[in-house]
Amino acid sequence: MKDIENQHDLFLLVDEFYKRLLNDDGINYIFTDVVKIKIEEHLPILVTFWSQAILGTGGYTNNLTQLHLDVNRKVYLSPELFKIWLKHFDNTVDDLFVGSNAEKIKTNALNIATVLQIKIAQEKRD
């Protein structure tokens, strides 16, 4: 296996990752019923996000935290949902890639999930 090296690799990763999420009844309702995701439109945005985070390409302009807080206002994004998300993310990375960027993207995903959970908990208290 090789490391994550370019946007094509990231597309393979996020495409497979979302296939797994959408096949998991424990989390897929977030994407199908709550957000009603149009996957063909969402994947390029995700590739841009991860490309900026891992490869330093830039181009992602959305507010990731606010997007998730908006979803949380529709349905509670519980710690269990984040565990499912991270499990699928890490397993997808491990199944497809090995190397420093693969480790970096898993660390970034954990950091993002942690920050989002803190922000959700803060908003819940307010």
Side-chain angles (χ1 to χ4, degrees):
M1 278 194 292
K2 69 180 197 102
D3 201 0
I4 299 167
E5 298 172 353
N6 53 48
Q7 290 189 341
H8 176 73
D9 293 341
L10 289 167
F11 184 87
L12 292 174
L13 171 62
V14 296
D15 184 51
E16 178 60 26
F17 171 56
Y18 269 79
K19 286 176 184 170
R20 294 177 188 200
L21 287 176
L22 292 171
N23 282 317
D24 185 327
D25 291 338
I27 196 169
N28 64 5
Y29 67 94
I30 298 292
F31 305 99
T32 58
D33 300 339
V34 178
V35 179
K36 294 181 174 58
I37 195 168
K38 294 181 176 105
I39 197 69
E40 63 282 348
E41 294 174 12
H42 194 55
L43 288 180
I45 295 167
L46 292 169
V47 169
T48 301
F49 171 80
W50 285 115
S51 182
Q52 178 170 297
I54 302 305
L55 304 175
T57 57
Y60 183 80
T61 58
N62 294 335
N63 183 331
L64 179 72
T65 302
Q66 190 59 54
L67 290 170
H68 287 83
L69 289 174
D70 292 346
V71 173
N72 186 65
R73 289 185 191 112
K74 295 177 184 178
V75 63
Y76 177 52
L77 297 178
S78 68
E80 183 58 36
L81 289 171
F82 281 99
K83 285 179 191 167
I84 294 169
W85 185 90
L86 279 169
K87 177 190 71 152
H88 285 301
F89 193 86
D90 286 351
N91 288 343
T92 305
V93 172
D94 290 342
D95 288 348
L96 297 174
F97 300 101
V98 64
S100 60
N101 281 340
E103 292 306 311
K104 183 179 178 182
I105 203 168
K106 290 189 297 183
T107 300
N108 281 10
L110 175 60
N111 291 343
I112 290 165
T114 302
V115 168
L116 289 175
Q117 288 177 82
I118 290 167
K119 295 287 187 182
I120 287 168
Q122 285 174 339
E123 191 171 82
K124 194 174 180 183
R125 284 195 303 260
D126 291 344

